Amino acid sequence: MSILHDIASLGGHTMGTTWQVKLTTAPGRDLHPLHAGIQAQLDAVVAQMSTWEAASDIAAFNRAAAGTSVPLPALFAEVIDCALDIARRSEGAFDPTVGPLVALWGFGAHAHAQRIPDAAQLAATQARCGWRRLHRQEGRLLQPGGLELDLSAIAKGFAVDLVSRWLQGQGIPAALVEVGGELHGYGRKPDGQPWRVLVEAGPEEEAALAQPPRVLALDDLAVATSGDRWHQFSHNGAQFSHTLDPRAGAPVSRAAAAVTVVARDAMHADGWATALTVMGAQEGLAFANANTLAARFLTRTAQGIEERLSTAFARLLAEQEAAT
């Protein structure tokens, strides 16, 4: 005998943004424990990985003296391991140690005044960064001196995954989890259909495209989008992306309007969306194809907005269209 389910919606605030969860549950179930549990998962990520919280584990590492071995909690360790893997595979296009550069360019929790740093400041700050300086030990991280972690490009995605895992552990058969635009969906809705979402992009960019908006079915899949529409600032008439190129120590020049990555989990989708944004459309698309990453690039050209899909992204769309 099948059990009837309803779709419930829960939401709140975390990490300077909002979260929303749609889930299937038996009619009449008390949703308060689920809401509290979701918030507790998100609060755990903040407590370990928020640079805005002075008492967080990441803040303790960033303050630690050179040569100090700092305890590494389990969630923090999971994200660090993923971040270092993406840093290695992208050859530094993604780098979790860009904290000092983020502040130098006027972003983040410890931002300086928003300005263009001079060459000496930039060189001195770059010398404090570099993912290869980060030494992971059993249950600990070694602070080599002056290294400041910033996991903002991957922590939201991990938070989405953590909530999805927790909900499955609570016996929730299907859910769509979103934190600050990063998404993961699993299971089927009461009508038997998967969760479907629009691929995120600005309304102006989508209006300029010839084809209809892209729709993805998130059947145990995650999606994350990065780009200059969400993260940029102006200085003396010039536009600068909030996404930093760790290799250059400066904001990404001519950032794509949007880079979307689909992956099995939101942590990888989030991290790779940032890495591919740093690489740019040409290098990023070649990398995505070489590494079987499902990625969509929207770039501005003299002729207007151009959409470019990696082979894996185009294949995913075709498979999902064939299944409908």
Side-chain angles (χ1 to χ4, degrees):
M1 181 178 178
S2 61
I3 299 175
L4 294 177
H5 287 92
D6 290 335
I7 294 179
S9 294
L10 303 172
H13 292 83
T14 188
M15 305 179 199
T17 186
T18 60
W19 66 265
Q20 183 176 18
V21 173
K22 294 181 180 179
L23 54 87
T24 59
T25 185
R29 178 171 179 171
D30 184 4
L31 298 177
H32 290 92
L34 288 175
H35 189 284
I38 291 168
Q39 191 67 59
Q41 305 309 303
L42 298 170
D43 290 349
V45 176
V46 170
Q48 293 187 24
M49 288 169 264
S50 173
T51 56
W52 296 85
E53 299 292 331
S56 69
D57 293 286
I58 197 171
F61 174 83
N62 290 346
R63 291 192 303 265
T68 303
S69 182
V70 179
L72 185 61
L75 302 183
F76 197 172
E78 190 175 347
V79 177
I80 282 293
D81 287 345
C82 180
L84 288 175
D85 181 61
I86 295 176
R88 177 185 57 80
R89 293 174 60 193
S90 69
E91 297 183 344
F94 182 93
D95 190 335
T97 72
V98 294
L101 282 169
V102 170
L104 181 67
W105 282 91
F107 312 136
H110 307 290
H112 299 217
Q114 225 161 50
R115 55 181 169 73
I116 311 303
D118 61 38
Q121 291 174 317
L122 188 57
T125 305
Q126 279 186 285
R128 296 172 53 199
C129 303
W131 62 273
R132 289 184 179 87
R133 298 182 64 217
L134 189 61
H135 297 289
R136 169 92 154 77
Q137 302 170 325
E138 187 63 37
R140 306 184 76 84
L141 272 181
L142 179 64
Q143 170 60 269
L147 201 64
E148 293 182 23
L149 295 173
D150 185 328
L151 299 174
S152 58
I154 197 170
K156 280 192 300 181
F158 175 73
V160 169
D161 296 332
L162 192 64
V163 169
S164 283
R165 295 198 309 237
W166 184 81
L167 288 170
Q168 291 176 68
Q170 300 302 304
I172 300 300
L176 178 66
V177 180
E178 182 261 333
V179 178
E182 324 301 6
L183 295 132
H184 179 264
Y186 73 88
R188 298 291 176 123
K189 295 185 291 183
D191 62 2
Q193 294 297 310
W195 305 98
R196 286 189 168 87
V197 299
L198 283 174
V199 176
E200 189 178 19
E204 294 179 3
E205 287 81 7
E206 289 292 0
L209 289 169
Q211 76 282 332
R214 301 297 190 181
V215 178
L216 292 171
L218 298 186
D219 193 355
D220 201 19
L221 285 175
V223 60
T225 298
S226 180
D228 71 358
R229 172 175 172 263
W230 296 270
H231 309 292
Q232 61 178 316
F233 77 97
S234 299
H235 182 83
N236 293 336
Q239 293 292 120
F240 294 90
S241 169
H242 279 205
T243 301
L244 289 178
D245 184 344
R247 303 165 302 181
V252 173
S253 61
R254 298 182 298 280
V259 178
T260 297
V261 173
V262 182
R264 282 295 169 190
D265 62 78
M267 177 169 61
H268 281 87
D270 198 5
W272 280 117
T274 297
L276 295 180
T277 297
V278 169
M279 292 180 193
Q282 185 170 340
E283 179 190 349
L285 184 61
F287 183 93
N289 283 330
N291 291 271
T292 324
L293 293 174
R296 179 207 197 205
F297 295 80
L298 292 187
T299 55
R300 298 184 179 88
T301 70
Q303 291 72 42
I305 296 293
E306 177 183 71
E307 180 192 58
R308 302 174 73 183
L309 307 180
S310 72
T311 302
F313 196 100
R315 184 187 307 118
L316 176 64
L317 288 178
E319 290 173 351
Q320 292 193 350
E321 288 171 5
T324 57

